[in-house]
Amino acid sequence: SGRGFSANRQLVIFQRGTGNNRIVVTLNFGDWDQWVDVPVPVDGTWRDVLNTGITLQANGGWARNVVINSHWGRILVLGAT
């Protein structure tokens, strides 16, 4: 299911999966780093499997102030170890 797209910011956020097999993908096609509030379907700890060693804590349906580097992204997996 879709989450968000901004042509001006050159940013895409989408979710795939159901139940405990969910991922949230953020992609930054811009030439600049961006700080984004990423919507997530479940609160808790999300691990970035694209950028090893990074975890994010989500509360109230959001992972707040997440940096998405220029021409890069994040692949977030719920509760992954």
Side-chain angles (χ1 to χ4, degrees):
S1 66
R3 284 300 207 171
F5 167 75
S6 172
N8 290 339
R9 291 183 69 184
Q10 298 181 29
L11 185 70
V12 175
I13 300 173
F14 63 94
Q15 173 188 322
R16 290 289 178 255
T18 59
N20 291 330
N21 296 316
R22 301 180 209 206
I23 64 168
V24 175
V25 177
T26 60
L27 301 172
N28 178 0
F29 295 99
D31 291 330
W32 58 94
D33 293 350
Q34 299 190 54
W35 283 259
V36 178
D37 290 338
V38 179
V40 295
V42 176
D43 289 347
T45 301
W46 289 77
R47 184 171 65 111
D48 184 344
V49 296
L50 182 61
N51 303 284
T52 58
I54 295 177
T55 59
L56 305 172
Q57 188 64 37
N59 294 299
W62 297 92
R64 301 277 183 190
N65 204 30
V66 178
V67 66
I68 312 298
N69 297 105
S70 166
H71 299 286
W72 198 242
R74 295 193 181 278
I75 301 173
L76 305 177
V77 177
L78 176 62
T81 56

